[in-house]
Structures are given as C-alpha cells and as structure tokens.
Amino acid sequence: RWRAAMENVSIPAAWRIVSAAWDEQSCSSRTGGCNSAWAAGWDGEGVVVATLQRDSFSQSWGLEQRFKVTPGTGLCAAGPEICDERPEGNYEDVRALQVGPGGLTLAVLHSDGILDAWSLQSGSFLGQWDLGNNYRAMCHDSTRLHLVRQEDVGPVLETMPLPVELEFGTRTSDSTVQAEYMPASQIAHSLRR
C-alpha cells in the first residue's frame, strides 16, 4: 500500500480558509517534487496571497506574504463597465478560496454566492458573478465550477461551466480580459459566445 510522505508547512494562524497550488515551473520530473507553490488565505477581513518556497539546503518550507486582494481597489482587467462600478470593501464573508492550476488565478466565493476572479500574476481583478444561490463551498477543475449549498434535506452539489477568466488565466493578457457581472444561469451562454 502506497503512503505519501507528509511535510509540515507553517501557515499564518489568522488564516481561517486556505488554498494552494504548485508553481508548475518549480516541479521536476527527475525528483518528482516541487519547490514552490502559490497560496491564498482568508483572515476574516481580507484575502492574502503568498508564495511557499522550499529551502534547498534545509528542505523546510517558508511562506512569504506577497499582496492582499481587496474588492474595489487595485488593478482591474474586467472592463470599464465593471471596474468603474466596483464598490470598495473587505472580504468579510468568504466561504471558499481556490488557487487555480499553476498559481495563475484565484477564485473567491463570498457574500451569498458571489464569485470573484483574480489574476495572481498581475494582482488584477478579472470579474465577478452572482451565482444565484447561497453557496457554502466551492472548487473547480479546468472547465467546471463545483458548488455546495445547504438545503433542509442536506447538502446539494451543483456544477456549472467555469468562467473563462478562471479557465484561461494565462492564455489571455489581462488587458484584453472582459468579464460581466451576471447570474449563474447566464454563465453557460456567455462562455459559448
């Protein structure tokens, strides 16, 4: 029976929700391991983006906080109709985070089913979608967004197309990404355009 070797990585104690993804450029087929990763953590007020780096001598992991993503501030690549209307604030009600493959994007599920997308390469806001339900958890693969909401009979898992801004985080320059604020029922239609 195969068993993975566990390694401890110190994460800030204030982080209530954490997501991480390997920086694929640091992975070696020769050693079968990776030496760095992107991480994001919600501390109750905001989402901090950090890098994890393995020290080549001691083999221990270190975390360096890089920047904070804050609604309504910073670079915005979602188009003027979205960027000009973004209210400033904090991420006070985060339900789930996911750092995308290779650490290229960040998805933030918050405030009764609102999904925000960020580029971790530039720190730019990529778009926002009202998913239409009070989702409690979220993750995604390369094409689908998977969401969980609570009903009286128990949890319900729903899936929908992943917004293209998260699917193609590096295939489009941030200056050309266009996102729309729309209900989840319209996301599938917009991805086919």
Side-chain angles (χ1 to χ4, degrees):
R1 183 174 180 189
W2 179 81
R3 189 170 199 154
M6 300 297 282
E7 295 182 63
N8 290 326
V9 178
S10 294
I11 300 295
W15 287 12
R16 300 177 191 178
I17 299 174
V18 178
S19 177
W22 293 118
D23 178 348
E24 294 169 359
Q25 295 176 0
S26 78
C27 300
S28 166
S29 59
R30 182 179 60 79
T31 64
C34 301
N35 293 319
S36 68
W38 284 88
W42 177 60
D43 63 10
E45 293 180 7
V47 176
V48 178
V49 176
T51 52
L52 293 165
Q53 189 75 35
R54 183 194 310 261
D55 182 270
S56 58
F57 179 71
S58 69
Q59 295 297 302
S60 64
W61 288 91
L63 182 137
E64 180 183 349
Q65 296 186 23
R66 308 289 295 251
F67 58 91
K68 202 172 219 182
V69 293
T70 306
T73 64
L75 299 172
C76 182
E81 63 283 346
I82 301 297
C83 296
D84 294 345
E85 299 299 319
R86 292 186 311 152
E88 289 188 29
N90 293 318
Y91 280 124
E92 295 175 349
D93 187 22
V94 170
R95 309 291 175 82
L97 299 172
Q98 184 166 350
V99 175
L104 302 173
T105 59
L106 173 64
V108 180
L109 178 67
H110 65 100
S111 308
D112 297 328
I114 304 298
L115 180 70
D116 288 353
W118 294 86
S119 166
L120 297 186
Q121 303 305 298
S122 66
S124 298
F125 179 78
L126 299 176
Q128 184 174 79
W129 299 267
D130 181 348
L131 301 178
N133 277 307
N134 188 12
Y135 292 109
R136 310 303 282 163
M138 170 273 309
C139 68
H140 67 78
D141 56 26
S142 61
T143 61
R144 305 290 297 174
L145 182 62
H146 311 282
L147 301 145
V148 176
R149 61 185 167 81
Q150 186 66 39
E151 292 287 327
D152 291 339
V153 296
V156 176
L157 174 66
E158 297 180 340
T159 184
M160 63 184 64
L162 184 67
V164 71
E165 291 77 10
L166 290 168
E167 184 178 346
F168 300 107
T170 58
R171 297 182 193 175
T172 324
S173 73
D174 281 348
S175 62
T176 62
V177 171
Q178 294 294 311
E180 299 175 38
Y181 182 87
M182 65 181 72
S185 60
Q186 295 177 7
I187 290 177
H189 174 72
S190 71
L191 293 177
R192 288 189 218 108
R193 283 194 270 172

